[in-house]
Amino acid sequence: MIKHVAVIGSGVMGHGIAQLYALAGFSVSLYDLQEELLHKAKASVEQSLDLLEKEGVITEQDKSSALERIVLTTDLQQAVTEADVITEAVPEVIELKWQLFAQLEQFAKPEAIIASNTSTFSIARLIEKAKLPHRFIITHFFNPAQLVPLVEIVRHEQTAEEVVTATVKLMERIGKAPVLLKKDVPGFIANRLQTALMREAFHLLEEGVASAEDIDTVMKAGIGFRWAFVGPIETADFGGLDTWQRVMDNLAPELDQSITAPQIISEHVNKGELGTKSGAGIYSYEHVSVADRLHARDEQFIRLTKLKNER
């Protein structure tokens, strides 16, 4: 019986994962190195819960109860000693993860599940130094973790079946749509699909086919609109596989075949134009409130989730 969850790392992903578990009724220990980071994370959770309450997804009591279930700590041993599930959400540095996993194996209960939120490393790489590899698994949440339904689950051949089963059921219990990969491949499923599409989007931008705004509109008003309810493979079935055979035969040779990041991205990075974090990227954010834009994005995510849940 899973009752207590520990989340290691309170950053962009960690605080959202902690919120998910707390709303689902679990006691949560949220760990980070500095109290300042934890207080920032708590403020982010409060803002997110406020928005969910405003949109009618949760009640004021739900919000208060969730906040009470989250305990902030800078003591790693205290965070994980009683945890049934430990979710690692630290930076994507393999040495850092190995160091953390060694500590977790020392402090955690032998039967505790250790899950990584990595989107970069294979499960085989993660458990290279593990003493008890059978309890390690990947649960790859998507940003913002508290709103995007998908969780990709990746197991190793040494991962115990009961760990896999318990993890899938846990993701369903906290309201997620878990997908268990049959193979451990770089980028898993979502980032491979996303990267393929992003490569072509930036190629079209570099070639001057359309503006960034129009390319984004094509996704939001066309492909993305449809894909919210009908996936690409279903789309092929609905359109006719013979039709899609011709489309792909005709277009595949014309698509970008680059094996590195698009030049336009590299040029912006070299100039320190990193997007919202620096105030400029492909778009300019000099006179734009990024916080307001993210708030509006999250409102739309919540409303889309409510619509999908009504189906």
Side-chain angles (χ1 to χ4, degrees):
M1 178 70 71
I2 297 172
K3 296 182 178 179
H4 189 96
V5 176
V7 178
I8 312 303
S10 65
V12 173
M13 298 300 294
H15 76 261
I17 295 170
Q19 176 185 317
L20 276 169
Y21 282 118
L23 270 177
F26 296 95
S27 298
V28 181
S29 295
L30 180 57
Y31 166 86
D32 216 316
L33 295 171
Q34 302 172 16
E35 288 189 5
E36 179 183 355
L37 297 174
L38 290 169
H39 292 315
K40 181 179 178 182
K42 183 178 180 182
S44 296
V45 171
E46 289 175 344
Q47 291 174 3
S48 180
L49 291 172
D50 285 343
L51 182 56
L52 288 172
E53 182 188 5
K54 175 189 171 187
E55 292 294 322
V57 177
I58 64 173
T59 65
E60 184 177 358
Q61 182 58 52
D62 293 331
K63 179 179 69 176
S64 299
S65 297
L67 288 171
E68 289 175 1
R69 293 188 189 105
I70 300 176
V71 176
L72 309 178
T73 181
T74 56
D75 185 326
L76 181 62
Q77 183 171 359
Q78 181 184 67
V80 304
T81 298
E82 298 300 322
D84 302 302
V85 173
I86 303 166
T87 298
E88 167 270 307
V90 303
E92 295 287 76
V93 179
I94 192 63
E95 292 80 10
L96 183 62
K97 293 181 186 290
W98 282 338
Q99 181 182 12
L100 173 62
F101 293 156
Q103 292 176 293
L104 295 181
E105 288 194 306
Q106 178 184 352
F107 297 144
K109 298 188 293 187
E111 67 273 19
I113 295 172
I114 300 176
S116 173
N117 184 55
T118 186
S119 61
T120 303
F121 299 111
S122 69
I123 185 72
R125 184 85 165 122
L126 286 177
I127 66 171
E128 274 185 20
K129 302 180 184 297
K131 295 179 181 178
L132 298 171
H134 69 278
R135 60 177 177 165
F136 282 81
I137 197 164
I138 290 174
T139 51
H140 178 219
F141 293 80
F142 285 78
N143 184 34
Q146 68 274 22
L147 299 181
V148 181
L150 180 64
V151 176
E152 291 177 309
I153 299 175
V154 188
R155 62 170 302 171
H156 189 267
E157 59 184 16
Q158 297 184 64
T159 306
E161 287 297 333
E162 57 265 29
V163 169
V164 177
T165 301
T167 301
V168 171
K169 289 182 178 179
L170 178 61
M171 293 302 103
E172 292 172 341
R173 185 173 168 187
I174 64 175
K176 291 302 182 181
V179 172
L180 177 62
L181 273 67
K182 295 181 179 181
K183 292 183 178 181
D184 183 8
V185 294
F188 311 147
I189 300 171
N191 277 338
R192 291 177 74 100
L193 294 174
Q194 184 170 240
T195 299
L197 193 148
M198 294 281 279
R199 178 174 64 182
E200 189 61 28
F202 278 98
H203 176 68
L204 294 171
L205 183 62
E206 287 179 328
E207 292 295 307
V209 174
S211 66
E213 292 88 345
D214 284 347
I215 293 170
D216 281 345
T217 296
V218 167
M219 277 305 305
K220 292 184 288 187
I223 302 169
F225 179 88
R226 179 165 61 188
W227 283 359
F229 294 94
V230 181
I233 295 176
E234 285 180 305
T235 296
D237 261 357
F238 290 157
L241 294 180
D242 55 335
T243 298
W244 274 99
Q245 180 185 40
R246 291 191 293 271
V247 169
M248 296 181 80
D249 281 344
N250 290 334
L251 282 183
E254 304 296 329
L255 299 178
D256 184 41
Q257 303 293 321
S258 300
I259 59 172
T260 60
Q263 184 177 349
I264 190 171
I265 290 183
S266 299
E267 290 173 353
H268 281 283
V269 170
N270 291 337
K271 290 188 290 186
E273 297 174 352
L274 309 179
T276 56
K277 65 174 69 176
S278 66
I282 305 300
Y283 296 99
S284 173
Y285 302 94
E286 186 178 358
H287 303 294
V288 174
S289 169
V290 174
D292 288 347
R293 292 280 292 274
L294 291 175
H295 183 84
R297 177 204 68 179
D298 289 353
E299 283 183 329
Q300 297 304 319
F301 284 169
I302 292 170
R303 291 167 189 173
L304 177 59
T305 299
K306 288 165 67 176
L307 178 62
K308 290 171 76 72
N309 287 341
E310 290 173 0
R311 297 177 67 215

